[in-house]
Amino acid sequence: MSLMTPEIRPSAIARVNPVAKLAVALLISCALMLSIDWVSAAVALALEAVLLAWCGLSARQFWLRTAPVWIAAPFAVLTTVLYGQDSGAVLLSAGFVSVTEGSVALALAIGLRILAIGIPGIVLLATTDPTDLGDGLAQVLRLPARFVLGALAGLRLVGMFIDDWHSLALARRARGVGDGGGLRGRGRRFGGLAFALLVLSVRRGSKLATAMEARGFGSDIPRTWARESVFGLRDSLVVVIGAVIAATAITAAVLAGTWHFVLA
Amino acid sequence: MTGARVTASGWGWRHAGRARAAVSGLDLDIRPGERVLVLGPSGAGKSTLMHALAGVLGDDEDGDETGELLVDGRRPSASRGRVGLVLQDPDSQVVLARVGDDVAFGCENLAVPRAEIWPRVGQALADVGLDLPLRHPTSALSGGQKQRLALAGVLAMRPGLVLLDEPTANLDPEGVVEVRDAVLRSVEASGATLIVIEHRVAVWQQVVDRIIVLDPAGGILADGPTDRVLSAEGERLAAAGVWIPRFPPAPPERRNRSEASEAEVLLHAEGLCVGRVPFARKRAVVVAGELNLTLESGTATAVTGPNGTGKSTLALTLAGLLAPAGGHLTAADALAAGLGPAPHRWRSRDLLERIGTVFQDPEHQFLAGTVRGELAIGPRALGLGGAAQTERVDALLHRLRLDHLADANPFTLSGGEKRRLSVATVLATRPRLLVLDEPTFGQDSRTWAELVRLLAELLDEGTAVLAVTHDEQFVSALADARLTLVPGAGPAGSPGGATGRLSSGLRRRIGTEPL
Amino acid sequence: MHASINTLTSHTPAPSTSRKPRVLKWRVVDIVVASVIGVASGVIFWAWGLAWSPLSALLAFTPGLEGLLAGGWLFAGVLGGLIIRKPGAAVYTEVVAAVVSMLIGTQWGFSTLIWGVVEGLGAEIVLALFFYANWRLGVALLAGAGAGVAVGLLDTTFTSYAALDIGYKAVYFVSAVVSGTVLAGLLSWLAVRGLARTGALSRFAAGRESGPTDRALSQPAQ
């Protein structure tokens, strides 16, 4: 499983402290979430597209990673076209459904917004090694080390869960209950597999906890870190760039008069 | 660095929520630098003692302590870092994603200054003979390597007491030697005290100088120099399931093959390639190829070879659970009984009376809340009536000595009981071919003997058996034929027993590249 | 139940587990098992996210019933809270699950993290209202509903559902709460009960309530 040790190509963004990337993605996400309008989303998306050149992802990786966003956006657009707040001329009306100029405009804004929020997060994460993120969270943000390391150790088990899931499914086939039953049978099998995986994972977790404690984990002495997580000038600069993108998007929307605060 | 001293006086521990104490009335004195093997039947509290010495039994929330257990005169929980513990399961003790980080983990927790950590990491990796880059992913290690990594993590803490809780039970023979030698090298260098639990005595016999046998009823049954304890207690320990070289379990009696009924061909593989489809991929990666094999009724075939040669994948393919990655796998009419020739295309229910599979980890195949319910699943899927179900289940409960556990949850059984149950669930539908993956892994000698006897009976009744195994004793006790998988190209396979024809024409080519 | 334990152990001086003082500090095993549950849930979150696209596409033709799918992302917090029984367990487990699904890759990017925090808090507040002392079915259902309220508010305010008409928003909100109650509350409670029976929770109070966990005594001939 490559999740824990992803093959990250050396690139400008890959060298940035993960905490800085986290801050950037949160800044942009939060700024865009405050309003539903097409200008702020479009401006942010355009600026992000320029920065993608430095992310070091191959085209194939980029499309593969961001595929969920490209799939999700059209569906959200559809829902909004059909059920969005109506205004302006009615284009179509049938039962619950009513399509108006207003709901179509909203739908466009929603589609852009999903892309603008989703893509930077995915791209920044794709260039981050979870171990480095853990180092940053504990050393730079000073989150409690016991919890950061506990989560990191748990994360390592993902690959094992996938193998377990595979074996569990094969074992069900061998026991005569691996197919049939239609949709209900499929649902029951999924539930059974998920529960079996839960049992295995809690047992693994208990054993792992013992192994970690046996190596001095969880005592009250403050621990040292074998690798230092440095938050330098470059990292601050990256955060500033993120802030500029967020601010530009909001300013452009306000100036264009399309800003629409979600709580208003 | 000197070894630590261990003393216990009237020590005992009861796990929270349990009515019976795991250990009680224990008196002990282990001198610095001693090497001790701790033996005892399962349930004697060996692991509890090791956890206590490592200071990881927990606090009041986890259980109640009586008496006193000290390492260098202090409570173990107060002397973290002085004691290092390596556990049985290689997969459950790797903490971090990179080799270097994992070894450094203990040092960091003990607040060793950064400048000192990396030299310690390098030294520890060298001590256990793991010559890998620090950024090497821990997920890519073999079982033996993972155990050596765990040992390195412990050594980097520079402990005075090294505890090993069945460190080699889940390893193949090569891994066992790797780990044992690494332990020896490192304690020789550091002078640390060593305490090992292991029910295969032969592995550690030459290494330790003292054996302590725990009494399940509390306290100590025997304590003294290795040879003296083994000659005085060997027979009793062997009867309790400990592997004592001088008292091996008796091999089963097989009916003379000439008396047996005519062997029928059940499954035939020609140029078979096996492989798995990796996560999020479409095509299988071939791990073993060009295999020729014929499985006949009443015949046992052992599949052996080093780790990573695709033994388990082969077993799963022959069992109709994975699709072949190439070549031909044909079920003869005797096995297919009206179905098509490709087992992986059969419905799940159709496999039940044809091919039964026993997985390496019994927990993977448990589905029900009680032992009785577990045994009834197969017969019910076959559509047997209530009376017929009960009859089969009761017969199996009795045959595999699980009667008293009929209403227990399968997950709460001991290791040996789980293994017996996993075999019983498969026998409940009376398959003509039985496929087993490492059936004797980590089992004590009693379970081993029971299992081998049962398989011998099934063979005499005409069931075909295919077992993936590292266990030479198992092979010589049962196998009529052996298929050896070896990495790289070249002929392999040697005559095992009556059906020597497997020995010719067995070839295996390794192909790691996708097709 | 506990009375019978006491009679069984009356010859030993050891106290019964029921009289143990409640410890609210997290042990290492609490942290690691909560993390592992979070990680496993995160993988399920991710898979649910993949299944969500076609499912919500079906429901996209209904007015707001997509909220019924929200519960698939709410169970981690309730499950962690019910097993660990320590303050913060619901938030921590839900956040770990959210981060893991985010690391694997969801269409919601970093906002997944914010959702995780708020959904976890929804369940956590309910558990805290019962002083981390009541773990019955009713509380589990309420905790699930709490998470449902949290996600209902978030979704109808900040996501594309904010663009819906107020009536559809109400439908969405109610279906999210129902979904949380059933998928997060009821299913988690059942899962914990099942887990306790397998003996996997022997190091947790949640696994010891039904009596001694050693097999010999857990099935007396009654």
Side-chain angles (χ1 to χ4, degrees):
Chain A
M1 181 69 189
S2 59
L3 176 67
M4 281 306 292
T5 44
E7 276 173 42
I8 294 167
R9 291 203 275 175
S11 68
I13 289 190
R15 278 188 297 271
V16 174
N17 191 304
V19 173
K21 296 191 223 174
L22 193 71
V24 167
L26 279 179
L27 272 171
I28 297 179
S29 299
C30 289
L32 293 180
M33 250 182 270
L34 292 178
S35 164
I36 299 177
D37 72 282
W38 70 273
V39 174
S40 65
V43 169
L45 197 56
L47 293 175
E48 286 160 15
V50 174
L51 292 179
L52 281 182
W54 282 277
C55 75
L57 284 182
S58 66
R60 185 176 170 275
Q61 263 185 318
F62 172 79
W63 291 112
L64 210 68
R65 284 278 196 164
T66 56
V69 188
W70 299 104
I71 296 167
F75 286 120
V77 168
L78 176 69
T79 309
T80 318
V81 167
L82 298 182
Y83 301 110
Q85 280 167 15
D86 294 318
S87 60
V90 176
L91 304 176
L92 183 88
S93 178
F96 288 122
V97 179
S98 64
V99 179
T100 56
E101 281 177 346
S103 66
V104 171
L106 260 180
L108 175 70
I110 291 286
L112 286 172
R113 188 168 173 259
I114 287 180
L115 297 178
I117 291 177
I119 289 175
I122 292 172
V123 168
L124 289 176
L125 279 175
T127 59
T128 300
D129 185 321
T131 306
D132 295 334
L133 178 61
D135 281 348
L137 291 178
Q139 295 178 53
V140 178
L141 291 186
R142 308 249 161 216
L143 294 185
R146 291 206 307 163
F147 286 88
V148 171
L149 284 162
L152 210 51
L155 198 55
R156 201 194 55 78
L157 296 180
V158 170
M160 230 166 274
F161 292 156
I162 291 168
D163 291 343
D164 278 337
W165 184 270
H166 193 66
S167 300
L168 287 167
L170 290 183
R172 269 148 182 75
R173 171 163 162 77
R175 302 249 2 232
V177 292
D179 51 32
L183 201 63
R184 236 188 97 209
R186 197 171 291 194
R188 280 188 58 176
R189 262 197 309 283
F190 182 84
L193 277 175
F195 178 72
L197 187 68
L198 188 65
V199 174
L200 290 178
S201 59
V202 170
R203 284 166 177 267
R204 280 242 163 79
S206 303
K207 284 192 228 165
L208 180 62
T210 302
M212 289 171 77
E213 251 186 310
R215 288 209 243 155
F217 180 68
S219 69
D220 293 326
I221 357 168
R223 78 199 297 275
T224 49
W225 296 88
R227 219 170 327 98
E228 195 177 9
S229 182
V230 190
F231 197 92
L233 192 65
R234 183 176 52 198
D235 305 300
S236 310
L237 192 70
V238 168
V239 178
V240 170
I241 293 176
V244 168
I245 294 179
T248 314
I250 292 178
T251 313
V254 171
L255 289 179
T258 61
W259 178 259
H260 178 83
F261 187 49
V262 286
L263 293 178
Chain B
M1 184 55 54
T2 56
R5 181 181 208 101
V6 175
T7 52
S9 53
W11 185 77
W13 178 270
R14 185 175 67 89
H15 292 285
R18 303 252 174 151
R20 206 177 71 92
V23 181
S24 62
L26 185 71
D27 295 295
L28 206 59
D29 185 9
I30 296 172
R31 290 181 305 279
E34 256 190 308
R35 296 173 192 170
V36 182
L37 178 62
V38 175
L39 297 175
S42 73
K46 304 184 294 282
S47 287
T48 305
L49 173 63
M50 296 296 249
H51 284 64
L53 285 170
V56 296
L57 264 187
D59 47 24
D60 288 350
E61 199 179 339
D62 292 283
D64 302 307
E65 191 171 15
T66 49
E68 202 177 46
L69 182 71
L70 300 173
V71 175
D72 284 341
R74 291 194 299 168
R75 290 173 54 82
S77 53
S79 41
R80 285 228 170 125
R82 186 74 179 129
V83 184
L85 169 68
V86 177
L87 299 159
Q88 178 179 347
D89 182 4
D91 290 326
S92 297
Q93 46 187 333
V94 178
V95 180
L96 294 168
R98 301 174 192 155
V99 164
D101 293 5
D102 194 76
V103 177
F105 179 71
C107 299
E108 295 177 318
N109 292 327
L110 297 176
V112 174
R114 181 175 299 141
E116 205 189 309
I117 292 179
W118 292 109
R120 280 198 189 194
V121 170
Q123 176 69 44
L125 284 172
D127 283 348
V128 301
L130 265 188
D131 183 22
L132 294 168
L134 294 179
R135 289 186 65 94
H136 191 79
T138 48
S139 56
L141 301 179
S142 71
Q145 286 178 317
K146 279 181 183 161
Q147 288 300 72
R148 282 189 284 157
L149 179 72
L151 182 63
V154 159
L155 294 176
M157 292 159 60
R158 308 263 158 98
L161 171 61
V162 174
L163 305 169
L164 309 174
D165 187 350
E166 303 202 34
T168 56
N170 287 15
L171 302 181
D172 58 75
E174 264 173 71
V176 170
V177 175
E178 268 177 23
V179 171
R180 199 258 323 265
D181 292 350
V183 168
L184 257 189
R185 263 200 315 274
S186 53
V187 293
E188 237 152 45
S190 70
T193 310
L194 176 70
I195 305 181
V196 189
I197 301 178
E198 184 69 74
H199 55 217
R200 292 203 176 240
V201 171
V203 180
W204 299 96
Q205 198 174 357
Q206 307 305 322
V207 177
V208 297
D209 30 50
R210 176 177 169 190
I211 290 183
I212 296 174
V213 184
L214 295 186
D215 188 344
I220 285 172
L221 211 59
D223 181 358
T226 314
D227 296 336
R228 217 177 65 203
V229 172
L230 283 182
S231 52
E233 294 291 327
E235 203 163 355
R236 187 144 51 126
L237 283 167
V242 179
W243 289 91
I244 308 286
R246 269 182 48 215
F247 303 97
E253 301 224 349
R254 286 285 300 278
R255 205 189 305 164
N256 197 324
R257 285 194 57 83
S258 57
E259 292 170 22
S261 53
E262 196 72 8
E264 273 180 303
V265 173
L266 297 181
L267 200 60
H268 180 67
E270 208 177 316
L272 177 69
C273 298
V274 299
R276 283 175 186 255
V277 183
F279 180 67
R281 294 279 163 78
K282 283 217 177 78
R283 311 187 75 159
V285 174
V286 174
V287 288
E290 316 255 315
L291 298 161
N292 299 317
L293 183 70
T294 303
L295 300 180
E296 294 177 349
S297 62
T299 308
T301 309
V303 178
T304 59
N307 280 334
T309 47
K311 296 189 299 294
S312 293
T313 312
L314 171 64
L316 293 171
T317 308
L318 292 173
L321 302 177
L322 294 177
H328 300 283
L329 177 65
T330 322
D333 292 339
L335 181 65
L339 298 178
H344 75 275
R345 294 192 196 282
W346 297 346
R347 281 180 311 168
S348 172
R349 182 152 54 88
D350 294 329
L351 282 172
L352 288 173
E353 288 186 294
R354 294 175 175 85
I355 308 176
T357 314
V358 177
F359 284 72
Q360 185 174 333
D361 185 349
E363 291 189 2
H364 280 147
Q365 54 189 120
F366 291 158
L367 301 163
T370 64
V371 167
R372 180 179 289 281
E374 200 66 62
L375 291 173
I377 284 176
R380 196 180 323 123
L382 284 180
L384 290 184
Q389 271 185 37
T390 318
E391 192 191 322
R392 279 200 188 185
V393 170
D394 286 342
L396 276 171
L397 282 173
H398 186 69
R399 187 173 186 183
L400 287 156
R401 292 193 301 107
L402 295 165
D403 315 60
H404 62 297
L405 300 169
D407 297 315
N409 188 301
F411 284 98
T412 62
L413 306 187
S414 74
E417 290 162 352
K418 277 181 189 156
R419 171 54 75 213
R420 294 210 300 271
L421 176 59
S422 68
V423 175
T425 56
V426 171
L427 298 186
T429 55
R430 300 176 185 162
R432 297 216 60 193
L433 165 63
L434 197 56
V435 175
L436 306 110
D437 193 356
E438 300 286 5
T440 57
F441 227 29
Q443 298 300 328
D444 66 18
S445 64
R446 239 171 76 185
T447 309
W448 187 94
E450 280 171 3
L451 205 61
V452 170
R453 204 180 315 128
L454 176 70
L455 290 174
E457 284 170 26
L458 291 170
L459 284 163
D460 285 346
E461 290 163 16
T463 308
V465 171
L466 178 120
V468 167
T469 189
H470 285 299
D471 182 349
E472 280 304 320
Q473 265 172 297
F474 180 84
V475 175
S476 58
L478 280 183
D480 301 303
R482 175 205 285 249
L483 173 65
T484 309
L485 300 186
V486 285
S494 59
T499 52
R501 51 200 182 86
L502 269 183
S503 62
S504 63
L506 283 182
R507 302 176 88 86
R508 178 170 182 281
R509 204 178 57 197
I510 197 146
T512 43
E513 73 288 340
L515 279 175
Chain C
M1 276 320 261
H2 289 299
S4 68
I5 302 171
N6 285 335
T7 54
L8 282 169
T9 57
S10 56
H11 57 282
T12 60
S16 155
T17 48
S18 58
R19 265 181 272 133
K20 284 253 184 315
R22 237 151 31 89
V23 187
L24 293 180
K25 186 182 187 316
W26 288 59
R27 299 168 298 166
V28 169
V29 69
D30 294 323
I31 296 175
V32 177
V33 169
S35 303
V36 169
I37 293 170
V39 169
S41 307
V43 177
I44 297 174
F45 279 14
W46 171 79
W48 185 246
L50 293 187
W52 179 87
S53 293
L55 286 175
S56 77
L58 283 179
L59 293 176
F61 295 97
T62 69
L65 289 182
E66 283 152 293
L68 287 176
L69 302 175
W73 289 288
L74 303 177
F75 69 89
V78 183
L79 190 60
L82 292 180
I83 290 175
I84 309 295
R85 298 190 173 180
K86 304 268 158 109
V91 172
Y92 177 72
T93 314
E94 183 76 28
V95 168
V96 170
V99 170
V100 168
S101 69
M102 182 173 94
L103 285 175
I104 305 176
T106 67
Q107 61 252 50
W108 300 279
F110 264 91
S111 47
T112 314
L113 172 62
I114 304 167
W115 260 244
V117 173
V118 178
E119 289 159 357
L121 275 174
E124 186 77 45
I125 288 169
V126 173
L127 300 179
L129 284 175
F130 288 90
F131 301 105
Y132 300 103
N134 185 336
W135 308 98
R136 276 193 264 270
L137 176 60
V139 178
L141 293 179
L142 279 177
V149 168
V151 76
L153 288 176
L154 270 185
D155 280 0
T156 53
T157 311
F158 295 102
T159 69
S160 42
Y161 301 113
L164 299 185
D165 267 338
I166 182 77
Y168 300 146
K169 275 191 196 173
V171 173
Y172 186 92
F173 180 81
V174 172
S175 42
V177 174
V178 169
S179 173
T181 311
V182 176
L183 292 183
L186 181 64
L187 284 189
S188 297
W189 187 82
L190 289 173
V192 173
R193 205 181 55 160
L195 268 177
R197 288 184 180 160
T198 66
L201 299 181
S202 61
R203 289 199 66 187
F204 299 87
R208 300 190 202 115
E209 278 185 337
S210 51
T213 46
D214 16 4
R215 205 185 51 241
L217 288 157
S218 62
Q219 27 159 331
Q222 43 182 264

